[in-house]
Amino acid sequence: MCLVVALASGGCRSSAPPSPPGEDDRLVREADVAVKEAQLGWEQADAKAEQSRQAALAVGERIDEFVARAKAAEVERVRYAGTLAAAREAARECTVTRERLLELHRTLLEYVSDPRRDAAIEGLEACRKQAANPKKADVQRDNAAMRQEVASALEEAFDLTYPDQRGHLVATVKGDVLDVALPTFSAWDAPRSQREVEKWCDSFPNFTSIALHNTHGTFKCRAKEQPRDYAARMLRASGLAAPWVPAPSGQKTMPSTSSDGDLAELKRLGRELDAAIAQFEADSHALLNARARAEKAIEHYEELLRHHSR
């Protein structure tokens, strides 16, 4: 639009010779006024059409937000109901894994206190007690695996530090004692050997003691974190040590189900959107008419200029 206006009101006029007095001069001036009025009408119609377009988009966005909130609320209700059902089922025989038990408890703690939620947590309390006191065989198995991982890590660390002595350090787990053998390695003297073994005692939990054997003798230390202390720390970290009842109230409020008011609001927004679209269509049609009038006025003005320049 601006390019057409520039050509009409600037480029073409600047190249025309001075208008002679008389009828032709009057017609040119009137055509110039008509062009400016038509251009102004075009600009105003364009602004109004854009305004109504933005209004329609805004209503559409409000509808999208309304629908998104409704969907999110439904997802939340389904999640809450599913967690309650899963918690009740888990509480019957406490056969769920420790990880699943903790997940159910964490999810229920997110919500504000209500009778169903509190009853579900209370039902899980017996399962917590069982999980907090696992079978002796399970504890021994887990501890053995953890200690073996420590032994393997110690061997790998030594091989990386002393690649030319690769394989010389052999770490063996004997119950809750870590026994480290370096029978042919002499780079560590007695003080260094004692410092190394004490460093291991500070770093590796779940052992009663650690012993290092090398060419300088045997060096021992008591582990900084004993197996009993390690087990207690793991239990606290898991969230199973303290009772789950009474349960503190969470922050999340369960959204209510869709109501007649929600449906009425959605219908109202739909009517508002229909009206906004109708207004935009009317303004768009008016814009087309205003553009056509402006282009016709410009065409008439240019024709008068061509005639006047002859």
Side-chain angles (χ1 to χ4, degrees):
M1 183 180 74
C2 295
L3 179 60
V4 175
V5 172
L7 290 174
S9 60
C12 294
R13 194 186 313 182
S14 64
S15 62
S19 300
E23 182 66 15
D24 289 345
D25 185 58
R26 183 184 65 80
L27 291 175
V28 169
R29 288 198 305 271
E30 290 178 352
D32 184 41
V33 172
V35 166
K36 292 178 180 177
E37 290 178 349
Q39 290 170 350
L40 179 60
W42 185 1
E43 292 174 357
Q44 291 174 341
D46 183 60
K48 188 175 181 182
E50 175 61 19
Q51 184 179 8
S52 61
R53 186 181 76 87
Q54 291 295 335
L57 289 175
V59 178
E61 289 176 358
R62 292 207 303 274
I63 292 176
D64 290 342
E65 291 172 358
F66 184 93
V67 172
R69 286 196 300 270
K71 289 182 177 179
E74 179 61 22
V75 169
E76 194 65 44
R77 286 191 293 270
V78 170
R79 176 178 184 254
Y80 186 57
T83 303
L84 287 174
R88 288 192 293 265
E89 180 64 26
R92 289 179 182 174
E93 296 183 1
C94 295
T95 55
V96 294
T97 63
R98 175 181 292 193
E99 290 73 18
R100 178 57 173 162
L101 176 64
L102 291 167
E103 179 187 4
L104 291 171
H105 180 242
R106 283 193 300 267
T107 301
L108 291 172
L109 285 180
E110 295 175 9
Y111 298 94
V112 297
S113 178
D114 72 58
R116 294 183 303 164
R117 173 259 198 191
D118 294 347
I121 294 177
E122 186 175 354
L124 293 177
E125 172 64 6
C127 303
R128 179 202 68 80
K129 292 178 180 178
Q130 290 187 24
N133 296 283
K135 295 179 180 179
K136 185 177 181 180
D138 294 338
V139 173
Q140 292 175 341
R141 183 190 65 249
D142 293 343
N143 285 346
M146 180 269 183
R147 289 166 182 154
Q148 190 56 54
E149 289 175 0
V150 169
S152 299
L154 187 59
E155 292 176 348
E156 292 175 6
F158 179 85
D159 291 344
L160 289 174
T161 306
Y162 303 96
D164 58 330
Q165 300 289 324
R166 185 177 183 85
H168 281 65
L169 186 148
V170 178
T172 306
V173 177
K174 298 179 179 179
D176 55 9
V177 174
L178 179 61
D179 194 79
V180 182
L182 276 170
T184 61
F185 184 73
S186 59
W188 296 348
D189 59 15
R192 172 68 184 276
S193 298
Q194 186 60 41
R195 288 197 302 271
E196 289 295 328
V197 74
E198 288 177 356
K199 183 172 64 176
W200 298 339
C201 280
D202 289 341
S203 302
F204 303 145
N206 204 20
F207 292 98
T208 55
S209 62
I210 301 176
L212 169 63
H213 311 280
N214 61 21
T215 56
H216 297 287
T218 298
F219 307 90
K220 296 180 180 181
C221 63
R222 180 177 174 81
K224 184 176 181 179
E225 187 174 31
Q226 293 291 294
R228 179 177 297 180
D229 299 330
Y230 172 80
R233 179 167 65 86
M234 291 297 100
L235 185 61
R236 289 192 301 272
S238 71
L240 294 169
W244 287 354
V245 290
S249 182
Q251 299 295 322
K252 189 179 293 184
T253 302
M254 175 51 50
S256 59
T257 57
S258 299
S259 62
D260 292 341
D262 295 331
L263 183 59
E265 175 63 12
L266 185 59
K267 289 181 178 179
R268 187 194 66 77
L269 287 172
R271 292 192 298 270
E272 186 176 343
L273 179 61
D274 291 341
I277 291 174
Q279 183 64 51
F280 172 63
E281 291 174 347
D283 291 341
S284 297
H285 182 70
L287 173 61
L288 292 176
N289 290 337
R291 176 179 177 178
R293 287 193 298 271
E295 290 174 345
K296 186 176 181 179
I298 292 170
E299 183 180 357
H300 177 62
Y301 175 72
E302 291 176 342
E303 177 62 27
L304 287 176
L305 287 179
R306 286 194 293 273
H307 177 73
H308 184 61
S309 63
R310 291 172 186 169

